[in-house]
């Protein structure tokens, strides 16, 4: 396998809450009204739409941020404005600013699509199986091209490929290997499970000291030290081995998207 000279580094999102469908919500949620002041207790995504896997993610709101509720949109999301951007944050990740403990009845899992009454019953394991099955089915069909995200003609770089296959299971990733790492929960190499993302440096990024800045390539872990990735114009989508010399030398980190 030839070394990868260039790969898109893409967008940048801050770490936040999970995008996987079927996320379990807190047993209680703060009672809020429009104009209520809340404080974030985690780093929730600021989303374009009030559904778990619909719409854009603008970024995340840092823990401890005070916000004003603009609208109690549904049981799962409230509408807020952060840094000039209006969007929705999950009720899992804030409390009333006065420190009160008043709570609302526990909600059911949030709908993953508009008009549905509940989220998908798929577990992370089933999602991972679907993602990996779809990724493998694209071998011989996908073409690699630097900085491409052409879903019509199946022309992708490494991160637009992972974005494409995760999207088929309703899990929406940003475009860019670094952005995808920031989106997930870091896991060690020894903790890898199917569906996790594995990240590597490239010739262009290997000299960087910071973990995120070292990242230049991404693949999807299969199990038994194997992973699938869209690697270069010669090989396109192939299954790699973490024990191979190039992968050992360029492995940077791993992150979990499916919860």
């Amino acid at each position: 396998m030839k070394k990868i000279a260039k790969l898109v580094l893409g967008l940048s999102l801050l770490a936040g809450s999970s995008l996987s469908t079927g996320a379990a919500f807190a047993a209680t949620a703060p009672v809020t009204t429009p104009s209520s002041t809340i404080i974030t207790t985690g780093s929730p995504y600021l989303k374009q739409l009030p559904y778990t896997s619909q719409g854009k993610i603008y970024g995340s709101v840092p823990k401890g941020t005070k916000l004003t509720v603009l609208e109690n949109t549904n049981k799962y999301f409230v509408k807020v404005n952060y840094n000039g951007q209006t969007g929705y944050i999950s009720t899992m990740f804030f409390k009333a600013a006065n420190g009160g403990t008043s709570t609302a009845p526990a909600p059911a899992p949030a709908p993953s699509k508009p008009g549905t009454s509940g989220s998908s019953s798929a577990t992370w394991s089933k999602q991972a199986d679907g993602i990996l099955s779809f990724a493998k089915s694209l071998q011989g069909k996908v073409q690699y091209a630097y900085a491409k995200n052409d879903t019509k003609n199946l022309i992708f770089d490494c991160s637009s490929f992972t974005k494409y296959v995760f999207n088929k299971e309703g899990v929406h990733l940003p475009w860019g290997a670094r952005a995808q790492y920031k989106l997930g929960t870091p896991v060690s190499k020894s903790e890898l499970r199917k569906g996790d993302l594995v990240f590597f440096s490239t010739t262009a990024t290997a000299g960087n000291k910071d973990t995120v800045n070292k990242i230049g390539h991404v693949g999807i872990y299969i199990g038994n030290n194997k992973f699938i990735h869209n690697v270069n114009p010669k090989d396109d989508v192939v299954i790699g081995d973490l024990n191979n010399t190039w992968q050992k030398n360029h492995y940077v980190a791993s992150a979990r998207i499916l919860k």
Side-chain angles (χ1 to χ4, degrees):
M1 181 188 303
K2 70 180 184 181
K3 290 187 178 180
I4 305 167
K6 293 182 180 178
L7 287 167
V8 67
L9 301 180
L11 306 173
S12 179
L13 288 177
L14 299 173
S17 57
S18 171
L19 271 182
S20 58
T21 57
F25 276 67
T28 58
V31 173
T32 59
T33 59
S35 298
S36 292
T37 300
I38 58 175
I39 301 175
T40 54
T41 57
S43 299
Y45 295 142
L46 184 67
K47 293 176 56 62
Q48 179 189 30
L49 297 174
Y51 303 97
T52 56
S53 43
Q54 294 291 309
K56 297 179 182 178
I57 296 175
Y58 299 121
S60 66
V61 182
K63 183 178 180 180
T65 301
K66 284 189 177 182
L67 299 167
T68 298
V69 175
L70 302 178
E71 173 186 276
N72 286 319
T73 308
N74 55 38
K75 292 180 180 180
Y76 321 103
F77 291 91
V78 295
K79 190 175 186 178
V80 298
N81 184 286
Y82 174 65
N83 278 353
Q85 177 65 62
T86 299
Y88 302 88
I89 64 170
S90 167
T91 57
M92 291 179 67
F93 296 99
F94 65 79
K95 65 182 179 180
N98 61 11
T101 57
S102 177
T103 57
S112 59
K113 296 181 180 179
T116 62
S117 59
S119 63
S120 169
S121 61
T123 64
W124 71 266
S125 181
K126 289 180 181 178
Q127 284 184 306
D129 288 340
I131 287 166
L132 290 168
S133 177
F134 183 55
K136 291 174 183 177
S137 77
L138 294 173
Q139 289 182 277
K141 299 176 183 178
V142 161
Q143 291 179 289
Y144 177 92
Y146 172 72
K148 288 290 185 180
N149 182 23
D150 185 345
T151 58
K152 182 179 179 181
N153 296 302
L154 298 181
I155 304 173
F156 304 110
D157 61 20
C158 64
S159 63
S160 58
F161 173 71
T162 54
K163 179 180 184 291
Y164 181 68
V165 297
F166 270 75
N167 184 67
K168 285 294 184 179
E169 283 294 315
V171 182
H172 301 291
L173 301 182
W175 184 11
R178 294 179 182 180
Q180 291 176 6
Y181 173 73
K182 289 182 178 182
L183 186 68
T185 300
V187 293
S188 67
K189 207 173 185 180
S190 63
E191 296 173 320
L192 280 169
R193 70 185 189 190
K194 62 183 179 182
D196 288 345
L197 295 179
V198 287
F199 299 89
F200 305 88
S201 65
T202 66
T203 302
T205 66
N208 295 323
K209 294 181 179 180
D210 177 73
T211 296
V212 174
N213 288 330
K214 276 183 176 290
I215 291 171
H217 184 60
V218 60
I220 309 167
Y221 189 67
I222 297 171
N224 296 320
N225 287 312
K226 300 294 194 298
F227 68 102
I228 189 165
H229 58 154
N230 192 26
V231 62
N232 59 42
K234 177 183 176 182
D235 299 309
D236 301 316
V237 177
V238 295
I239 293 175
D241 192 323
L242 292 178
N243 290 325
N244 286 348
T245 301
W246 189 93
Q247 282 81 358
K248 278 186 176 182
N249 291 340
H250 288 267
Y251 174 84
V252 175
S254 304
R256 182 157 297 155
I257 301 295
L258 305 177
K259 310 295 184 182

